[in-house]
Amino acid sequence: MMKPLDATAGNSPQMTSAGTDVRPSLGIWACSALVVGNIIGSGFYLSPAALAPYGAAALVGWVGMAIAAMCLGLVFARLASVRPATGGPYAYSRMAFGPFAGFLVAWAYWISIWASLPAIAMAFAGYLAVFFPNLQHVPGGFTAVSLAAMWLVAAINMFGVKSAGRFQIVTVGLKLVPFIAIALIGLFWIEPQNLTPVNPSGLSVLGLISATAPLTMFAFLGIESATVPAGDVDDPKRTIPRATVLGTLCCGLVFILGTLVVMGTVPREALARSAAPFSDAAFMMWGWWGSTLVAAAVVLSSIGALNGWTLLMAQVPMAAARDGLFPPVFGRLSSRGVPQWGIVVSMLLASALLVLQTSGVSGLMAVYRFAVDLSTTAAMVPYVFCSLVEGALFLALARPRDAEWAGIRIGPYKPYALVAFVFSLWTVYGSGPQAGLWCLLLLLVALPVYLSVERKEPSTS
């Protein structure tokens, strides 16, 4: 998922308060580590169970999405090195296509975040059930725990960015443990019979990629957030794209091997019903202590992801409100400097989505799948716009005298932008009609909102 960029162009020295030159210090390895750290998160903790109906053939979907994610990463890497801008995808779309396009991208981005919170919270609740097994048998238990986790994190964020940042430091370091340990060490515990039949769904290769696209792309969301400020990177025009490719390759490898190991150690029927697939795989390999350790790491990691996206959730709407493109309430800050109304409104929508889905369907995976589909579909809107910007396809539409793009060369046309554009559309198709219809309705709701604010002056609060 997307995090706003706040950078300065170029690669010039920066001045400290003491007047000392500070040269950019982030090289390719540091940037690659940022890519890996930002991509790998809770989006993958339930995906092996959600992919179980497709068997080992689901690995084809991971390979396809790794390629697409790499192309998308290159799009944002180039935009960051050519024209760093606060607001990231929202800012690029607004500068290239005008305020309405910027508004739609900001709105879709906002939807993608609050729609992803139920999926993250359900992952938290699923792994928490390892410690409280009766949770699975309590009617509405997963829903109640998920809602409690979402609102607890929202309350922490309302105490201020500093409090949220401290909480994030405690949790973020643990999120790599279950992935890397199981993806690498677990290869020795694979049972070949668990991987057969290879493709129980009977879908073709293209059909398989389409069906698995939302689940696999959801794990890769956030690749653009690892595009670090160009002013802090050594030779950003070379380092950022190379680090993006290297980091995406590492994440793709961990995702593919992790899925292979979980599918190879847990029987497919049991995996499809699992609320904690990585913990179940660890139990098959190392017993109770391994299962408990992995579950604890995932619980803390999921809370960290929930905190990180809640921290971010109100930031782009706040930036859009200050540009006069969102209702002013999203730009208002509390006495602690927090856009609390943006957090409250967003959390209410996320809670409504969770409650509506859990009351209308049965099973953790069904709720998780819908939240993933809706969040991923909404996230593709900014990806499509930015692919057009980077690919120089916007040149026929953009205003050539726009001062914000003065002196910037966008061309020549980049083939990877076309790949990113096509894969983004393909992912929307793979999300299915239900998620597409909900996303369309939510985008249409934005039209009267835009008409009500377009003539107002930008907020100065």
Side-chain angles (χ1 to χ4, degrees):
M1 313 186 84
M2 291 150 291
K3 297 181 182 178
L5 300 173
D6 188 1
T8 54
N11 194 35
S12 57
Q14 302 174 16
M15 298 293 292
T16 66
S17 58
T20 307
D21 288 352
V22 179
R23 299 296 303 181
S25 57
L26 294 178
I28 187 170
W29 295 112
C31 291
S32 299
L34 287 173
V35 173
V36 175
N38 278 320
I39 293 178
I40 294 183
S42 65
F44 184 55
Y45 289 127
L46 287 180
S47 62
L51 291 169
Y54 306 101
L59 299 177
V60 175
W62 279 120
V63 173
M65 273 309 124
I67 296 172
M70 195 177 304
C71 292
L72 285 165
L74 290 174
V75 166
F76 287 101
R78 178 166 164 81
L79 287 175
S81 62
V82 170
R83 180 64 167 88
T86 301
Y90 153 70
Y92 296 131
S93 300
R94 178 178 56 81
M95 287 188 287
F97 299 114
F100 182 63
F103 169 80
L104 278 182
V105 166
W107 187 272
Y109 165 72
W110 177 55
I111 293 172
S112 72
I113 294 182
W114 63 254
S116 72
L117 296 185
I120 298 173
M122 291 299 274
F124 164 80
Y127 279 87
L128 191 65
V130 173
F131 302 98
F132 304 98
N134 291 332
L135 184 62
Q136 303 183 58
H137 308 295
V138 176
F142 280 131
T143 302
V145 170
S146 299
L147 287 172
M150 289 163 55
W151 282 99
L152 175 62
V153 170
I156 293 173
N157 275 266
M158 288 183 193
F159 275 100
V161 174
K162 187 174 182 180
S163 297
R166 288 174 177 171
F167 185 71
Q168 189 73 356
I169 290 172
V170 174
T171 58
V172 73
L174 295 171
K175 67 182 180 181
L176 299 180
V177 175
F179 287 108
I180 296 176
I182 292 181
L184 297 180
I185 303 175
L187 291 172
F188 297 100
W189 274 268
I190 291 178
E191 296 289 342
Q193 64 268 22
N194 290 332
L195 299 174
T196 57
V198 175
N199 184 12
S201 67
L203 295 172
S204 65
V205 173
L206 293 180
L208 193 69
I209 294 178
S210 297
T212 59
L215 292 167
T216 51
M217 180 56 82
F218 184 70
F220 278 109
L221 293 184
I223 187 172
E224 74 289 338
S225 68
T227 306
V228 295
D232 294 328
V233 178
D234 292 322
D235 194 7
K237 292 185 179 181
R238 291 165 56 90
T239 300
I240 293 177
R242 290 181 178 182
T244 299
V245 171
L246 181 60
T248 304
L249 283 174
C250 292
C251 292
L253 186 63
V254 171
F255 289 162
I256 291 169
L257 292 179
T259 301
L260 176 64
V261 168
V262 174
M263 287 184 170
T265 54
V266 182
R268 185 163 57 87
E269 294 76 12
L271 180 60
R273 299 190 302 267
S274 176
F278 275 87
S279 185
D280 289 346
F283 181 81
M284 300 292 290
M285 292 184 287
W286 305 310
W288 180 85
W289 72 268
S291 174
T292 303
L293 182 63
V294 169
V298 173
V299 165
L300 291 176
S301 176
S302 297
I303 282 290
L306 199 61
N307 178 71
W309 293 121
T310 302
L311 178 66
L312 176 63
M313 183 167 56
Q315 298 303 311
V316 166
M318 181 179 68
R322 291 180 173 178
D323 287 339
L325 297 179
F326 257 51
V329 67
F330 287 94
R332 295 174 188 166
L333 302 181
S334 68
S335 59
R336 296 178 179 272
V338 177
Q340 63 179 11
W341 285 110
I343 294 177
V344 170
V345 171
S346 304
M347 199 60 71
L348 285 173
L349 290 170
S351 300
L353 174 64
L354 177 60
V355 172
L356 286 173
Q357 284 300 303
T358 52
S359 63
V361 297
S362 59
L364 176 74
M365 282 301 107
V367 179
Y368 177 81
R369 179 68 195 246
F370 178 79
V372 166
D373 286 347
L374 178 58
S375 176
T376 306
T377 301
M380 292 305 104
V381 175
Y383 284 2
V384 165
F385 271 91
C386 288
S387 297
L388 293 176
V389 174
E390 159 59 13
L393 300 178
F394 81 95
L395 289 179
L397 302 174
R399 300 179 298 279
R401 295 186 179 87
D402 194 329
E404 292 184 283
W405 288 95
I408 302 297
R409 286 190 60 195
I410 300 299
Y413 172 73
K414 300 295 182 181
Y416 59 74
L418 177 61
V419 175
F421 177 79
V422 171
F423 263 96
S424 297
L425 295 181
W426 197 352
T427 300
V428 174
Y429 169 77
S431 296
Q434 186 182 23
L437 177 61
W438 272 95
C439 188
L440 175 61
L441 290 174
L442 291 171
L443 288 175
L444 290 177
V445 169
L447 297 180
V449 175
Y450 178 77
L451 292 175
S452 69
V453 300
E454 68 166 341
R455 298 183 183 276
K456 295 180 180 180
E457 293 295 325
S459 171
T460 56
S461 59

